[in-house]
Amino acid sequence: MGWSSNNTKGEYNVLTRTIKSGAILVAGWLIVGPALAAGVHSGGHGHAMDFGQPGEATEASRTVEVTMGDNYFEPEKIQVKAGETVRFVVKNTGEFVHEFNIGSAAMHAAHQKEMIMMVEHGALEADRINHDMMKMDMGGGKTMEHHDPNAVLLEPSKSGEVVWKFAESADLEFACNVPGHYQAGMVGHIEVTK
C-alpha cells in the first residue's frame, strides 16, 4: 500500500502505509489552496532565519542525537542556549520517509503544503525519495529538492545531520512535515534559553 490522494476541490486525503503496530494512519483532509502553486522546495527558505542560521560542525558545542521512528521523535524536547551551535545527528529508524525540520509552527504549516506537492508529483513516496523527480523544474528554476540547511529528509535506515546556530528569540519546533506525520504527533519542541 502506498500514498493515496483524492483530489476533490483542493482537498487531499493522504493515507500512509501500515505502521509497525499494524494501525493505519489516515491523515485527515488537508485543505490546500493556491499556496501550492506559489512556491516549491528549493530556494524557498534562504539561509539566515530569524531564529538562527546554519552553523559549522567544527563550531558545535555539542552533538544531539535524534531518532525518528514512525510518527515520533526521541527526544521530544531539546534545550539550547541562545548563540549556541548544535550538531543534530538524525537517524530514521522507521519504515517510512521522515523529516527533521527546525522552524516555527507557521513555517511548518507552509512547508507541509510543499510536501503535499512532492507527494502529488511522485517525488516523495511513503518509504522512498524519488531523487530524479525532486530535480524536476517546477518553473522559475525552482525544484523540489530538499536542501534547506534547517532540515534533513531521510529514507528508512538513513542518517543525516543539521548544524544550527540558534538566535536569541525562538518559539521553535522540530517536526516531520511529510503529509499526515505532524498531525499524528511527530513534532518536538526546542527551548532556547539565555
Side-chain angles (χ1 to χ4, degrees), residues 174-194:
F174 54 95
C176 178
N177 293 301
V178 171
H181 293 197
Y182 184 98
Q183 293 78 5
M186 197 165 180
V187 57
H189 297 280
I190 297 177
E191 180 183 351
V192 182
T193 62
K194 292 187 178 196

Side-chain angles (χ1 to χ4, degrees), residues 50-113:
D50 62 355
F51 60 87
Q53 62 188 27
E56 296 293 329
T58 56
E59 297 171 1
S61 60
R62 63 188 167 117
T63 297
V64 174
E65 293 183 8
V66 178
T67 300
M68 299 187 298
D70 290 328
N71 296 322
Y72 71 88
F73 285 105
E74 180 61 42
E76 294 178 357
K77 185 175 184 178
I78 299 170
Q79 291 183 328
V80 299
K81 294 180 182 174
E84 181 179 19
T85 300
V86 178
R87 178 178 171 244
F88 296 95
V89 176
V90 184
K91 177 154 178 82
N92 183 354
T93 62
E95 294 181 19
F96 308 111
V97 171
H98 291 298
E99 176 188 47
F100 175 83
N101 186 314
I102 300 170
S104 66
M107 287 176 68
H108 291 303
H111 186 58
Q112 289 165 23
K113 294 174 183 175

Side-chain angles (χ1 to χ4, degrees), residues 154-170:
L154 299 171
E155 292 177 323
S157 302
K158 300 292 183 183
S159 297
E161 70 176 49
V162 171
V163 181
W164 197 257
K165 182 175 183 177
F166 290 89
E168 290 196 30
S169 65

